[in-house]
């Protein structure tokens, strides 16, 4: 009987310890929930500023894609310029000048779409994880991406326009140059928005196949 009572007392003490540990865990969980409930989420402006700063840091640390975009625009502009060298003031080369204008718009549309289709798919996994963890909302995220991407795309488009327009020998008229640059930039930005849509809805392989099919049909 004594051994039984001693064993029963030991079990009772263990049960008391387990109960106290469980109560301590419950209290800590309640305190954490209370802290989270009292913590105010960041405002939309603060979310936008933080995400924009993060995108700037990522672009500065990994500038390979940006460098490739700039080099690609400059290289294609040089190739187009030498293919249609001096066709601007030549009245006998109206068709060649038209092909240059059409090819320029096609190039702006293609580069504007494909750049964001491929880059957006790379960030999709982290975006999904962070958004469902309620780190930020989608509005500030997309706004921060657009504020960073649009100036880059405008600069790349202007690099192409300046080089190719000069090599083709078109008249150095500020009004004509501004209209041509405006159309190229507008087409590039519209294509970029379509690229964001395709990149957000389709996978990388399907997005690339869709883009290539549309470009082949356009040609």
């Amino acid at each position: 009987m004594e051994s039984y009572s001693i064993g029963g007392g030991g079990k009772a003490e263990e049960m008391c310890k387990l109960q106290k540990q469980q109560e301590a865990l419950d209290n800590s969980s309640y305190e954490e929930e209370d802290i989270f409930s009292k913590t105010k989420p960041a405002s939309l402006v603060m979310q936008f500023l933080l995400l924009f700063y993060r995108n700037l840091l990522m672009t500065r640390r990994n500038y390979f894609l940006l460098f490739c975009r700039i080099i690609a625009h400059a290289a294609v502009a040089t190739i187009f310029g030498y293919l249609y060298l001096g066709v601007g003031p030549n009245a006998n080369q109206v068709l060649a000048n038209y092909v240059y204008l059409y090819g320029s718009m096609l190039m702006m549309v293609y580069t504007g779409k494909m750049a964001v289709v491929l880059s957006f798919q790379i960030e999709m996994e982290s975006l999904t994880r962070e958004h469902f963890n309620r780190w930020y909302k989608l509005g500030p995220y997309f706004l921060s991406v657009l504020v960073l991407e649009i100036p880059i795309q405008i600069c790349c488009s202007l690099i192409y326009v300046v080089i190719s327009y000069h090599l083709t020998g078109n008249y150095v008229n500020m009004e004509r140059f501004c209209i041509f640059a405006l159309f190229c930039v507008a087409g590039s930005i519209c294509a970029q928005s379509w690229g964001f849509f395709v990149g957000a809805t389709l996978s990388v392989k399907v997005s690339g196949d869709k883009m290539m099919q549309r470009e082949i049909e356009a040609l």
Side-chain angles (χ1 to χ4, degrees), residues 41-100:
S43 62
L44 297 179
V45 177
M46 183 58 65
Q47 292 179 21
F48 163 73
L49 293 176
L50 291 174
L51 290 170
F52 180 67
Y53 180 68
R54 186 183 74 170
N55 291 334
L56 282 177
L57 287 178
M58 292 171 61
T59 304
R60 188 177 67 179
R61 292 174 181 175
N62 187 13
Y63 54 86
F64 178 73
L65 293 177
L66 177 61
F67 182 74
C68 287
R69 288 171 67 177
I70 295 174
I71 293 299
H73 281 79
V76 175
T78 305
I79 293 172
F80 269 45
Y82 277 103
L83 284 176
Y84 304 103
L85 187 64
V87 300
N90 193 349
N92 296 324
Q93 300 291 333
V94 176
L95 182 60
N97 203 15
Y98 167 77
V99 174
Y100 159 69

Side-chain angles (χ1 to χ4, degrees), residues 111-159:
T111 54
K113 284 191 291 188
M114 291 305 298
V116 294
V117 164
L118 298 178
S119 63
F120 189 74
Q121 281 290 332
I122 297 173
E123 301 176 1
M124 180 61 73
E125 184 178 354
S126 62
L127 170 62
T128 304
R129 183 178 63 254
E130 293 171 357
H131 173 64
F132 282 107
N133 287 334
R134 297 182 179 180
W135 289 13
Y136 48 78
K137 295 185 178 180
L138 291 178
Y141 173 80
F142 281 108
L143 186 60
S144 65
V145 172
L146 290 176
V147 170
L148 182 64
E149 280 289 336
I150 288 177
I152 293 175
Q153 190 61 34
I154 290 175
C155 292
C156 292
S157 301
L158 291 178
I159 288 172

